[in-house]
């Protein structure tokens, strides 16, 4: 894919995590009010928890909204508490009027994972594409589970997790040995087709990745920098995540 034109990212810095989360929710609420059957791309991780809380607290109806999650661990059944499906159930699905049949997330236990990836891409296409995609970012700049070096053309596929990502996510498991080695993730090509992107980052641990995203040269070694080629991306930060930015 050609990534010819670079666009200015919209960077918004908030005093704290709560305000950043509220802003993200407000943007999504406004979209859903305009388009009640909007298609949302959604992330997991610690970062979006405040966003989900604010979305739920607003009481906005999601009865016609369709959602597609970014990724899922390979091999974890939906009943495993650390599967991204279980995460989404706790954080959002069980707290809103979202319909179960409208909530999509790759099946990490599919008999044929490659076929599952193709099916997932097709489901996104059939829904009309993502109106908005909310993203977190890994310490190493990964988006979804697109680790450093991932092709910018990639579609939804099976990937291997970087050791640093497995270590970062080990906090949710009893030990690092329990952290899956592979996942299914939307590819960067899939991500870039979202009509609008909101990337959220909070805390000092993300400051270096954010500096690369906002001020660095776009390159596959820092996957998030691809967003400099996306025509409508907002980067919502708390003060700590913005602390290494020039201004
Ligand atoms: C995970 C997810 C990403 C997420 C990242 C950061 O590995 N696959 O989608 O953005 O970690 O997570 P956190 O928000 O917990 O820092």
């Amino acid at each position: 894919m050609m990534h010819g034109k670079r666009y200015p990212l919209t960077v918004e810095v908030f005093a704290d995590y709560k305000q950043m989360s509220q802003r993200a929710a407000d943007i999504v609420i406004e979209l859903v009010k305009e388009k009640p059957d909007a298609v949302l791309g959604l992330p997991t991780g610690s970062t979006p928890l405040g966003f989900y809380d604010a979305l739920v607290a607003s009481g906005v109806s999601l009865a016609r909204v369709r959602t597609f999650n970014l990724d899922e661990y390979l091999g974890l059944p939906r009943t495993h508490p650390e599967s991204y499906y279980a995460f989404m159930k706790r954080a959002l699905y069980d707290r809103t009027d979202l319909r179960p049949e409208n909530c999509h997330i790759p099946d990490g236990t599919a008999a044929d994972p490659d076929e599952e990836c193709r099916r997932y891409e097709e489901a996104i296409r059939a829904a009309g594409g993502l109106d908005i995609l909310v993203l977190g970012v890994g310490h190493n700049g990964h988006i979804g589970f697109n680790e450093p070096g991932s092709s910018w053309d990639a579609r939804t596929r099976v990937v291997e997790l970087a050791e640093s990502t497995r270590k970062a996510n080990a906090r949710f498991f009893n030990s690092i040995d329990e952290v899956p080695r592979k996942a299914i993730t939307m590819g960067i090509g899939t991500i870039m087709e979202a009509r609008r992107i909101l990337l959220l980052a909070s805390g000092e641990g993300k400051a270096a990745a954010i500096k690369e995203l906002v001020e660095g040269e776009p390159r596959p070694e820092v996957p998030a920098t691809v967003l400099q080629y996306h025509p409508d991306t907002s980067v919502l930060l708390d003060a700590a995540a913005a602390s290494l930015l020039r201004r």
Side-chain angles (χ1 to χ4, degrees), residues 26-41 60-68 98 124-132 193-196:
D26 288 345
I27 292 170
V28 171
I29 292 161
E30 196 181 326
L31 167 70
V32 170
K33 285 188 174 155
E34 268 166 34
K35 186 178 178 188
D37 62 346
V39 181
L40 313 182
V60 70
S61 174
L62 303 178
R64 294 176 57 206
V65 162
R66 280 90 39 93
T67 70
F68 286 88
L98 269 169
I124 295 171
R125 225 187 321 271
L130 305 175
D131 290 304
I132 197 163
E193 284 171 11
R195 288 187 268 282
R196 181 167 185 193

Side-chain angles (χ1 to χ4, degrees), residues 6 28 54 87 150-151 196 223:
R6 279 162 79 173
V28 171
F87 173 99
S150 295
S151 159
R196 181 167 185 193

Side-chain angles (χ1 to χ4, degrees), residues 23-194:
R23 170 71 174 142
D26 288 345
I27 292 170
V28 171
I29 292 161
E30 196 181 326
L31 167 70
V32 170
K33 285 188 174 155
E34 268 166 34
K35 186 178 178 188
D37 62 346
V39 181
L40 313 182
L42 296 176
T44 50
S46 313
T47 310
L49 286 171
F51 157 70
Y52 290 131
D53 286 346
L55 196 58
V56 169
S58 76
V60 70
S61 174
L62 303 178
R64 294 176 57 206
V65 162
R66 280 90 39 93
T67 70
F68 286 88
N69 265 75
L70 275 163
D71 48 13
E72 177 60 284
Y73 289 115
L74 199 70
L76 288 195
R78 294 189 158 188
T79 50
H80 190 291
E82 294 312 325
S83 71
Y84 282 170
Y85 178 83
F87 173 99
M88 288 305 296
K89 221 167 125 52
R90 291 190 298 268
L92 187 69
Y93 300 162
D94 284 352
R95 304 165 73 198
T96 64
D97 58 356
L98 269 169
R99 293 188 188 190
E101 66 270 28
N102 289 339
C103 299
H104 303 270
I105 186 158
D107 179 357
T109 62
D112 181 344
D114 295 331
E115 178 52 34
E116 171 63 6
C117 294
R118 282 190 290 274
R119 186 198 63 81
Y120 201 67
E121 281 282 327
E122 185 43 42
I124 295 171
R125 225 187 321 271
L130 305 175
D131 290 304
I132 197 163
L133 170 58
V134 183
L135 290 177
V137 63
H139 296 95
N140 62 5
H142 74 240
I143 46 179
F145 271 132
N146 294 283
E147 297 283 15
S150 295
S151 159
W152 283 0
D153 296 328
R155 314 303 308 186
T156 301
R157 70 202 186 290
V158 175
V159 292
E160 250 172 68
L161 303 185
E163 263 324 287
S164 61
T165 299
R166 293 186 64 240
K167 273 188 199 135
N169 291 0
R171 66 188 194 277
F172 300 113
F173 295 82
N174 292 319
S175 81
I176 186 151
D177 303 319
E178 288 182 17
V179 183
R181 292 180 183 278
K182 293 183 176 179
I184 292 176
T185 184
M186 283 186 199
I188 290 179
T190 321
I191 288 172
M192 290 296 281
E193 284 171 11

